[in-house]
Amino acid sequence: MERELAFLGFVTWMLFPTKAQTVQTAQIIGAANYFLQLPKSRRATLARTNPYFAQDVFAKTLLKFPLGDTFRMEFESAFNELANITELIEFFMICPIEQRPSLLKALHFIEQGGFVPDDVKETDRHAHTRSRSTLKVSWVNYAIAGPFIWSAMQSKYEFITRLSPDLKSTINRVDKFLARKDEVMEFFELARFCQDRLIPRLDERSRARFRFLKFPPNVAAVDVGLSELDSAQAAILKDYRPPKLIDKDYRPPK
């Protein structure tokens, strides 16, 4: 179960990159989940050979303690954060490099409804936009995990963001996914493509602030065809105006 539990830890890190204890607990919960799904004979063998599974009471306690639904609730509550960082990363992916993409431009673009679907009525568009304040918080908390979240939010891999370690179906789904090595590699190759495209588009301050992960050499960046800005999106970007800086020598009138 080393691969499965490592992957569960990775998925939990994606959703909660600043909560190391949550990641560790997710792996323990996943191990308990796996243990309880084994036939009794295999439980007994595992308990004899592995001190981490000495008693099934330990596993049951983990899954049935008063806050037993915490993980699935946390995973569900993370949806808005995932949507925020996905749109921020998506902006950097599709904004032409000659337009000099930046976080401020991304905030303006999203706040003005740059990713609101065309079929949404004009009167309802405001309900689909995101505020700058929430976007900024998501950027600070999730920028490092952003390329992996962006990769996972592609329709083929969206299930990854719902792999809460306390769900009975999780271990089986992780096991099946890890058995499809081509898809596992494609997921990480998408993430590398995203990160390789993102980092050069960030300003020096952001590149120094965030310590992005280093991919192993066998994970190559897959070539992805990205959509271009449509006319409405291009107009939103064209309307961007940088904030005015206050002259340090300026003195307000008394």
Side-chain angles (χ1 to χ4, degrees):
M1 291 301 295
E2 288 183 7
R3 292 186 312 158
E4 288 82 354
L5 296 181
F7 189 70
L8 277 180
F10 172 76
V11 171
T12 306
W13 170 82
M14 279 173 47
L15 273 66
F16 311 100
T18 61
K19 299 181 179 180
Q21 186 61 50
T22 300
V23 174
Q24 183 180 22
T25 304
Q27 291 181 296
I28 297 173
I29 293 289
N33 198 345
Y34 165 73
F35 184 78
L36 290 177
Q37 295 183 54
L38 291 175
K40 288 186 177 180
S41 59
R42 291 192 61 193
R43 286 193 206 175
T45 300
L46 187 60
R48 287 195 302 270
T49 59
N50 191 320
Y52 291 106
F53 299 97
Q55 298 182 31
D56 64 350
V57 175
F58 166 72
K60 290 177 181 177
T61 301
L62 279 173
L63 290 180
K64 295 182 178 180
F65 72 115
L67 299 178
D69 288 337
T70 295
F71 268 97
R72 69 190 73 180
M73 291 171 62
E74 290 286 345
F75 270 57
E76 291 172 4
S77 67
F79 175 80
N80 287 334
E81 296 277 17
L82 298 185
N84 288 345
I85 192 62
T86 299
E87 290 195 359
L88 286 166
I89 297 293
E90 181 71 11
F91 174 81
F92 282 99
M93 295 297 100
I94 67 174
C95 181
I97 191 68
E98 58 270 17
Q99 296 285 344
R100 301 180 66 183
S102 67
L103 178 60
L104 289 178
K105 288 182 180 178
L107 296 175
H108 167 79
F109 184 84
I110 297 171
E111 187 181 45
Q112 296 302 312
F115 289 121
V116 176
D118 295 334
D119 57 355
V120 174
K121 295 180 181 178
E122 190 65 33
T123 54
D124 297 331
R125 290 181 69 84
H126 69 280
H128 294 263
T129 59
R130 307 179 189 280
S131 70
R132 292 189 178 217
S133 58
T134 58
L135 289 169
K136 287 180 179 178
V137 172
S138 296
W139 177 252
V140 171
N141 291 336
Y142 287 87
I144 296 173
F148 300 97
I149 295 172
W150 181 86
S151 179
M153 292 297 275
Q154 310 308 308
S155 59
K156 185 176 181 180
Y157 298 111
E158 193 174 0
F159 74 93
I160 289 175
T161 64
R162 298 190 294 273
L163 291 175
S164 179
D166 54 341
L167 292 175
K168 288 185 177 181
S169 60
T170 290
I171 294 297
N172 187 46
R173 296 194 72 180
V174 168
D175 194 42
K176 288 182 177 179
F177 174 61
L178 294 180
R180 298 192 291 268
K181 294 183 179 180
D182 290 345
E183 292 188 10
V184 174
M185 288 299 294
E186 183 183 58
F187 167 72
F188 285 105
E189 287 169 352
L190 280 170
R192 177 160 190 174
F193 162 81
C194 179
Q195 182 168 288
D196 287 355
R197 187 176 175 87
L198 172 66
I199 292 177
R201 291 164 174 247
L202 300 178
D203 57 63
E204 292 185 9
R205 182 180 178 183
S206 295
R207 290 199 296 268
R209 178 180 188 178
F210 298 115
R211 298 180 61 184
F212 289 94
L213 275 64
K214 183 177 181 180
F215 286 84
N218 65 317
V219 178
V222 66
D223 189 18
V224 177
L226 298 172
S227 60
E228 297 181 355
L229 297 176
D230 59 30
S231 57
Q233 291 175 320
I236 292 175
L237 187 58
K238 188 175 181 180
D239 287 341
Y240 169 77
R241 297 292 181 272
K244 293 182 179 180
L245 299 178
I246 300 176
D247 189 338
K248 65 179 181 179
D249 296 325
Y250 172 75
R251 295 291 184 273
K254 296 182 179 179

